[in-house]
Every structure is written in C-alpha cells, then in structure tokens.
Amino acid sequence: MVSNEEKKEIRENIISKTNKLLEENNEPYRMDEVSILNTKDSVGFIGSIRIHDSEKLKVIKKGFTKIIKSYGDATIKERHVVPCCELPYDYLSFNMKKSKD
C-alpha cells in the first residue's frame, strides 16, 4: 500500500531533482507540479518539462529518465514544439506507475 505521505514524498523528490537537473543545465523553466492518479492497482504520477537548448536535450533526457524510473515503471515521451509566439522547445512528459502492493 502506498501511503499519502509516500506519494507526497515521491512527488516532491521528482520535482526537486528535476528542477536541480534543469538548473544545472541553465534551462529557464522549472517543473511546478506532478499530478497523482490513484487506481485500484497502482498510483500514477504524471508531469512534464520544457527544454529550450536542443544541444542539452540528450543529457537532460537521460537524467530525467533516471530520476523518474528510480521510483517505478515509467514511460517518457518527447515532442518538439514550435509555438507561434516564443522560441521552439522540446517537451518531455512522463507517466510513472507504482504498484500499490
């Protein structure tokens, strides 16, 4: 069983470790929130980050994947975004599940 305290701790650790990784790589955006989804068999954690420096994408993605997968089974998706009113960026999102057992 995953307690509310454990969920909160995982959420806070993911945010702080990810923001430290982004800060070390001089990225302007930070992760503000990780959503928690409760299902019958597992607890899901969902979040995303932006990376503006494409030269650092590989390094950041590797570190981000390591952070997320250290807590459970995870899927990391990457998408390149070209918005109309700001600089292009890469968007990394994750969906991590932790079994309730």
Side-chain angles (χ1 to χ4, degrees):
M1 184 72 162
V2 181
S3 70
N4 286 337
E5 292 168 1
E6 188 177 1
K7 289 181 223 177
K8 183 179 177 184
E9 182 180 338
I10 290 170
R11 187 180 133 269
E12 289 173 355
N13 284 339
I14 289 172
I15 292 171
S16 66
K17 289 177 181 180
T18 300
N19 285 340
K20 183 177 179 186
L21 175 68
L22 293 169
E23 186 176 322
E24 289 170 352
N25 286 281
N26 297 315
E27 283 296 318
Y29 286 94
R30 299 293 179 257
M31 177 183 275
D32 292 331
E33 189 60 49
V34 171
S35 297
I36 299 173
L37 303 170
N38 294 298
T39 65
K40 179 181 166 187
D41 301 322
S42 65
V43 176
F45 296 83
I46 299 171
S48 63
I49 58 173
R50 288 183 180 191
I51 299 152
H52 285 273
D53 188 345
S54 60
E55 293 180 7
K56 295 180 181 175
L57 175 62
K58 190 173 182 178
V59 170
I60 294 172
K61 184 177 180 181
K62 183 178 179 181
F64 184 61
T65 301
K66 185 177 179 182
I67 292 166
I68 302 304
K69 289 193 173 187
S70 70
Y71 294 100
D73 184 31
T75 302
I76 310 286
K77 293 187 179 180
E78 176 184 334
R79 181 176 55 174
H80 186 70
V81 179
V82 182
C84 68
C85 303
E86 64 179 288
L87 295 173
Y89 60 89
D90 290 285
Y91 181 81
L92 297 179
S93 61
F94 75 91
N95 183 346
M96 189 270 293
K97 289 185 180 180
K98 185 167 181 65
S99 174
K100 285 190 175 180
D101 295 336

